[in-house]
């Protein structure tokens, strides 16, 4: 090979070497850039995952607290309901005992509930319904009850005994045509009081 040829080959090799090194340097730079970008993206993804996990944890925490509060309220309401039921059960047993006796207290109470019912209706010609054993307790008091209703309503009042009813005690009073009726039996009055108490309990728990 001549000297001229050697010089040309050497120049080509030198250019090729420079170009190759430049390509390698560029490739290495690109590689570093890709790695750096990948690390940044990985960090961002990691932070995003952690942020989402934290949000979910907070939501779950609030959910657990809310469920615990609801369960607590429900259990408290159930406990109060049990107390109310037990109190009414004992009261009913006591009233049943009193209503089965010749107690002056029960007779006075019977007269009172009949008077209240008659006054609520507005007086007039009324029918009184009681259990069989209460007829003798109340029949002799009808004139005084009529007078009390008359004084309260201003309407002339006449009471007559109707058919017997099945009840612990108390009375039902209605108009002769049956269009208006007031149930003042022990069971009905207890049910009304019980509903009132339940509403009061619910108001305390969920205010």
């Amino acid at each position: 090979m001549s000297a001229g040829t050697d010089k040309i080959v050497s120049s080509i090799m030198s250019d090729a070497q420079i170009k190759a090194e430049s390509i390698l340097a560029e490739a290495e730079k690109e590689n570093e850039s890709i790695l750096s970008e990948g690390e940044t993206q990985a960090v961002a993804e990691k932070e995003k995952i952690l942020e989402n996990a934290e949000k979910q944890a907070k939501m779950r925490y609030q959910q657990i607290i809310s469920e615990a509060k609801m369960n607590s309220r429900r259990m408290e309401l159930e406990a109060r309901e049990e107390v109310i039921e037990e109190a009414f059960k004992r009261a009913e047993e006591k009233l049943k005992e009193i209503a089965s006796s010749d107690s002056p207290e029960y007779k006075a109470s019977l007269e009172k509930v009949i008077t209240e019912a008659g006054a609520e209706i507005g007086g007039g010609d009324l029918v009184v319904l009681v259990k069989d054993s209460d007829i003798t307790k109340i029949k002799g008091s009808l004139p005084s009850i009529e007078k009390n209703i008359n004084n309260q309503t201003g309407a002339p009042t006449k009471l007559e005994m109707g058919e017997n009813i099945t009840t612990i005690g108390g009375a039902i009073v209605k108009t002769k045509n049956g269009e208006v009726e007031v149930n003042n039996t022990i069971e009905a009055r207890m049910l009304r009081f019980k509903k009132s108490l339940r509403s009061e309990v619910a108001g305390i728990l969920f205010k």
Side-chain angles (χ1 to χ4, degrees):
M1 190 179 291
S2 66
T5 303
D6 287 343
K7 192 173 180 181
I8 292 169
V9 170
S10 176
S11 176
I12 291 170
M13 290 293 291
S14 176
D15 287 344
Q17 181 70 26
I18 292 169
K19 194 170 183 180
E21 287 176 359
S22 174
I23 291 170
L24 285 173
E26 190 67 31
E28 190 173 339
K29 186 179 178 182
E30 184 70 21
N31 185 46
E32 286 177 0
S33 175
I34 290 169
L35 286 173
S36 176
E37 186 178 334
E39 285 177 3
T40 303
Q41 189 175 351
V43 170
E45 282 294 322
K46 179 183 175 183
E47 288 177 354
K48 188 177 179 181
I49 290 168
L50 288 173
E51 185 180 344
N52 287 337
E54 188 177 355
K55 283 181 182 178
Q56 288 178 4
K58 284 180 179 177
M59 286 173 62
R60 181 57 183 154
Y61 171 77
Q62 291 299 331
Q63 185 182 354
I64 291 169
I65 292 297
S66 179
E67 287 174 358
K69 285 180 179 179
M70 285 179 64
N71 287 335
S72 174
R73 285 178 176 176
R74 179 180 53 77
M75 289 172 69
E76 188 174 353
L77 180 59
E78 287 174 356
R80 287 177 180 254
E81 282 284 348
E82 285 180 16
V83 171
I84 292 171
E85 287 295 332
E86 183 61 28
F88 271 94
K89 186 178 177 182
R90 291 184 182 182
E92 186 175 329
E93 289 171 357
K94 183 65 177 175
L95 287 169
K96 191 182 291 185
E97 182 184 329
I98 294 170
S100 300
S101 69
D102 292 323
S103 160
E105 178 188 2
Y106 174 64
K107 184 176 181 296
S109 174
L110 194 55
E111 292 173 4
K112 182 182 177 183
V113 297
I114 293 172
T115 302
E116 286 177 358
E120 187 175 335
I121 292 172
D125 293 330
L126 306 174
V127 180
V128 179
L129 294 81
V130 296
K131 66 181 182 180
D132 183 53
S133 60
D134 282 350
I135 294 174
T136 55
K137 296 175 186 175
I138 204 65
K139 203 165 187 179
S141 301
L142 291 183
S144 64
I145 296 173
E146 289 170 349
K147 187 176 179 181
N148 287 334
I149 295 172
N150 189 3
N151 290 338
Q152 290 183 39
T153 63
T157 300
K158 181 66 179 175
L159 299 175
E160 66 177 64
M161 300 304 300
E163 60 190 32
N164 300 337
I165 56 174
T166 302
T167 178
I168 295 172
I172 294 174
V173 179
K174 62 181 181 179
T175 54
K176 286 193 82 170
N177 60 15
E179 288 183 357
V180 183
E181 177 181 298
V182 174
N183 189 336
N184 264 352
T185 59
I186 288 174
E187 295 95 318
R189 289 171 71 88
M190 286 185 68
L191 185 60
R192 290 197 288 270
F193 291 141
K194 192 183 290 187
K195 285 180 179 177
S196 174
L197 267 179
R198 282 204 176 99
S199 298
E200 188 178 331
V201 170
I204 292 168
L205 287 178
F206 300 108
K207 65 181 178 180

